């Protein structure tokens, strides 16, 4: 078994972790990050909570993120006032409403340019939070000097 204090030494540069996770779906990666936060920061509640909160915030953006990445985009400068940007989601979705059941695809999401700009600004803020949490995680995972090594080095 690998002691959780040694886990950072196994993959300091992240290459092994990247190889293991590169083909995993987005929601599985989020699940793994939560589990790793629980493992590594069981005794550091503040760090653990910041990672788990960040993952919840990222997960809330999953559907919109998927639309951005996989959607079919259209800019309608002349057709709408104010101009809009639409994104057609090509994924199939099964819905149930009462006794009605149906499969649907090509659902449109329409944004004004102002709404899209505000949303992208919010995502930028989420990216900055992600970077700050990642830096905190890296700092917390660095090996801490032991008391013995401090006594012998001085």
């Amino acid at each position: 078994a690998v002691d959780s204090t040694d886990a950072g030494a196994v993959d300091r540069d992240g290459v092994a972790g990247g190889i293991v996770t590169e083909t995993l779906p987005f929601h599985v990666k989020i699940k793994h990050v939560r589990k790793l936060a629980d493992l590594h920061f069981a005794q550091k509640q503040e760090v653990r909570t910041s990672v788990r909160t960040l993952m919840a915030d990222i997960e809330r953006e999953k559907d919109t993120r998927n639309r951005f990445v996989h959607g079919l985009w259209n800019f309608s400068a002349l057709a709408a006032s104010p101009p809009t940007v639409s994104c057609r989601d090509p994924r199939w979705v099964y819905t149930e409403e009462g006794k009605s059941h149906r499969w649907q695809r090509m659902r449109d999401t329409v944004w004004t340019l102002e709404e899209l700009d505000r949303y992208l600004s919010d995502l930028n803020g989420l990216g900055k939070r992600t970077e700050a949490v990642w830096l905190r995680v890296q700092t917390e995972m660095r090996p801490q000097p032991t008391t013995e090594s401090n006594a012998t080095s001085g």
Side-chain angles (χ1 to χ4, degrees), residues 91-141:
R91 295 170 299 156
W92 285 98
V93 176
Y94 179 75
T95 58
E96 294 183 22
E97 293 179 18
K99 293 184 179 185
S100 173
H101 309 281
R102 69 181 184 154
W103 284 93
Q104 176 185 356
R105 75 181 293 198
M106 297 302 183
R107 294 167 293 129
D108 284 333
T109 302
V110 179
W111 291 281
T112 64
L113 296 180
E114 182 179 295
E115 290 168 333
L116 186 60
D117 189 50
R118 188 171 40 248
Y119 181 73
L120 293 174
S121 178
D122 291 346
L123 282 183
N124 189 42
L126 184 59
K128 288 178 181 178
R129 273 189 44 225
T130 301
E131 184 177 356
V133 169
W134 176 240
L135 290 173
R136 174 83 188 270
V137 164
Q138 287 179 310
T139 300
E140 293 292 336
M141 294 205 44

Side-chain angles (χ1 to χ4, degrees), residues 2-13 40 141 143:
V2 175
D3 180 9
S4 65
T5 57
D6 297 332
V10 173
D11 189 22
R12 283 221 193 284
D13 57 7
H40 287 289
M141 294 205 44

Side-chain angles (χ1 to χ4, degrees), residues 25-38 41 47-62 126-127 129-134 137:
F26 187 67
H27 72 279
V28 174
K29 290 178 184 179
I30 289 174
K31 184 172 115 177
H32 286 314
V33 169
R34 283 188 182 115
K35 286 181 179 183
L36 288 169
D38 292 344
F41 303 118
V47 179
R48 182 174 164 258
T49 299
S50 68
V51 170
R52 291 183 66 84
T53 300
L54 177 66
M55 290 302 103
D57 292 346
I58 289 172
E59 193 168 41
R60 268 192 292 282
E61 299 302 328
K62 182 178 71 167
L126 184 59
R129 273 189 44 225
T130 301
E131 184 177 356
V133 169
W134 176 240
V137 164

